Amino acid sequence: SDHDWQSSCGMNFLRNIALYPFLGKPFILTAGFFTFIVFVITGFIGYRNYRQKYWKLKWHIFFALISFLFALFHAVLAFSIFYQI
């Protein structure tokens, strides 16, 4: 059957990663938590730059890029659960 072919070829690899238990919860939940934390750090750096010029702008840009990559990874894991990629 089609399901057996997908399982034998590793078609559910990302889904297995997303649902793998990590610290007692599915890995996708942990990845979402870290994504949120990185977004908060990015916003905090931007806010500090706006208020006091505390950090250089390059750090805000760096964390914005990291935030985007974390969010993309989290989205791919989520889509792998629902669309079986």
Side-chain angles (χ1 to χ4, degrees), residues 5-22:
W5 176 82
Q6 288 179 345
S7 297
S8 65
C9 293
M11 297 296 282
N12 294 324
F13 177 71
L14 288 174
R15 184 172 190 258
N16 290 339
I17 290 173
L19 298 176
Y20 186 80
F22 183 76

Side-chain angles (χ1 to χ4, degrees), residues 17-20 22-36 74 77-78 81:
I17 290 173
L19 298 176
Y20 186 80
F22 183 76
L23 301 175
K25 303 290 182 192
F27 181 71
I28 190 168
L29 182 68
T30 307
F33 174 75
F34 283 117
T35 300
F36 177 75
H74 181 67
L77 290 180
I81 293 171

Side-chain angles (χ1 to χ4, degrees), residues 6-84:
Q6 288 179 345
S7 297
S8 65
C9 293
M11 297 296 282
N12 294 324
F13 177 71
L14 288 174
R15 184 172 190 258
N16 290 339
I17 290 173
L19 298 176
Y20 186 80
F22 183 76
L23 301 175
K25 303 290 182 192
F27 181 71
I28 190 168
L29 182 68
T30 307
F33 174 75
F34 283 117
T35 300
F36 177 75
I37 294 299
V38 174
F39 270 117
V40 168
I41 291 170
T42 303
F44 180 73
I45 292 172
Y47 175 75
R48 296 289 288 189
N49 281 340
Y50 174 73
R51 297 294 285 169
Q52 301 175 7
K53 297 287 186 188
Y54 190 71
W55 283 296
K56 293 185 178 180
L57 183 61
K58 71 177 181 178
W59 286 110
H60 179 69
I61 294 170
F62 173 75
F63 273 96
L65 177 63
I66 297 299
S67 298
F68 176 75
L69 293 175
F70 270 54
L72 184 64
F73 177 66
H74 181 67
V76 166
L77 290 180
F79 281 121
S80 73
I81 293 171
F82 292 105
Y83 295 110
Q84 308 273 329

